[in-house]
Amino acid sequence: MGLLQGASELFPVSSLGHAVIVPSLLHWNFKQSDPSFVPFLVLLHIGTATALLVLYRSQWVAIVRGFFTAAIRGQIKTDPERLAMLLLVGTIPAAVLGVFLESRIKSFFASPYVAATFLIVNGLLMLGFEVLRRRSERGTSRSEQESHFGDAECISFVAAAIVGACQAFAFVPGISRSGITIGGGLIAGLRHQEAARFSFLLATPVILGAGLIEIPELLHAGIPLGEYLAAAVLSGIAAYASARFLLRYFKSGRLDPYGWYCILAGLAALALLHFGL
Amino acid sequence: MTRSQSLAVGLGALGVVFLLIALLYALGVLQILTSSDSGPHYKHAVLFAVLAVASFVAANFARPKTA
């Protein structure tokens, strides 16, 4: 479960959707209605967030330093300072929506059938983002097409807030947080690799914050903490490897393969669930 | 960002309000929009503390700078 969550969290394929569907299909002993299920997923998310912190450690040092410098000065002068403020603006809408809506949305949609259906929707969204992107591309080679788009620091503050708010859609199992933020980044004019970087940086404080706040709940839930921590470590390792792979992939790759995967996986899951296989 | 003294004061005041709300959630006094009706709500408290910090930062950005 830890490997599954870590690998699927950063790929634009919805980790929550997989966490709801796969245990049902494989008849694993997980009850999604169990009070310890969400804290367990949160612990896995902490593993993922830690992996992202390790991956971007030097950037995070610059971002944190940039935040305090710009906040005290009241003016943005460097790229890390701008990125720090963009991440703040992008994180606030997600945090507000997360605190007030997350548990309601998750409990409302926590069914394998719903997750499989929204996995198909997620796939269609990925394909839609690429269709919109292709309309604004020029040139024939991939490097030429990508060269007309910008770095994460170039995104506008309004776009950062919208992309950040879109993370709330990922509370619906089947909709991918990274997918929707990478797609939003593409539409906002970022290169694929930069959209992925912005998505991963944007995800880190939300995932880490949500995880750290849930830790007291974990201690009260009477869960096998050792096993869950081992799962979190595996999740972190898988997430680190996934992020490295994706950043290399998005130098020239697109979201389409993940879109098709989500559509096929959603259809297959619906069929398997319907026929009780 | 538009710089004006009144905007900076407004954002600073908003920050203070957010800070008070954070405190009330942390102490369990405020129970609005929460899943349970009793006890402290640290998640809400942290959120409003972050909003307070963001408001203070925005206030500093809005403050007219002397050359």
Side-chain angles (χ1 to χ4, degrees), chain A residues 67 70-76 85 88 92 95-96 98-100 102-104 210 213-214, chain B residues 3 25 32-35 42-44 46-48 50-51 53-54 57 60-63 65:
Chain A
F67 171 78
I72 292 165
R73 190 197 301 128
Q75 209 171 8
I76 294 169
M85 293 303 159
L88 178 68
I92 285 173
V96 171
V99 166
F100 291 114
E102 186 180 10
S103 59
R104 290 178 182 87
I213 287 171
E214 291 280 354
Chain B
R3 295 189 184 280
Y25 271 123
I32 302 165
L33 293 170
T34 57
S35 51
Y42 296 117
K43 204 186 279 188
H44 292 65
V46 169
L47 171 68
F48 278 96
V50 170
L51 288 175
V53 170
V57 170
N60 198 27
F61 271 87
R63 188 172 53 86
K65 302 287 183 294

Side-chain angles (χ1 to χ4, degrees), chain A residues 65-83:
Chain A
R65 198 178 291 155
F67 171 78
F68 284 109
T69 309
I72 292 165
R73 190 197 301 128
Q75 209 171 8
I76 294 169
K77 285 188 176 174
T78 65
D79 278 350
E81 289 173 13
R82 183 172 167 80
L83 188 56

Side-chain angles (χ1 to χ4, degrees), chain B residues 24-31 34 36 38-45:
Chain B
L24 294 175
Y25 271 123
L27 294 173
V29 177
L30 209 56
Q31 303 291 339
T34 57
S36 65
S38 62
H41 298 282
Y42 296 117
K43 204 186 279 188
H44 292 65

Side-chain angles (χ1 to χ4, degrees), chain A residues 16 20 32-33 37-38 100-118 168-169 171-174:
Chain A
L16 186 59
V20 172
Q32 282 116 38
S33 56
F37 183 71
V38 171
F100 291 114
L101 298 179
E102 186 180 10
S103 59
R104 290 178 182 87
I105 293 176
K106 278 185 176 170
S107 60
F108 189 72
F109 290 107
S111 138
Y113 282 96
V114 174
T117 306
F118 276 102
F169 287 111
F171 300 144
V172 179

Side-chain angles (χ1 to χ4, degrees), chain A residues 133 146 150-152 163 178 181-187 189-202 247 250:
Chain A
R133 175 54 174 251
E146 289 290 282
D151 291 343
V163 171
S178 60
T181 49
I182 291 172
L186 293 181
I187 290 171
L190 302 183
R191 295 197 306 272
H192 277 75
Q193 197 182 29
E194 284 297 299
R197 181 170 77 96
F198 188 65
S199 165
F200 297 162
L201 289 173
L202 199 56
L247 289 170
F250 279 124

Side-chain angles (χ1 to χ4, degrees), chain A residues 16-32:
Chain A
L16 186 59
H18 281 73
V20 172
I21 296 169
V22 174
S24 289
L25 289 176
L26 300 181
H27 306 292
W28 286 355
N29 192 22
F30 275 106
K31 286 180 187 161
Q32 282 116 38

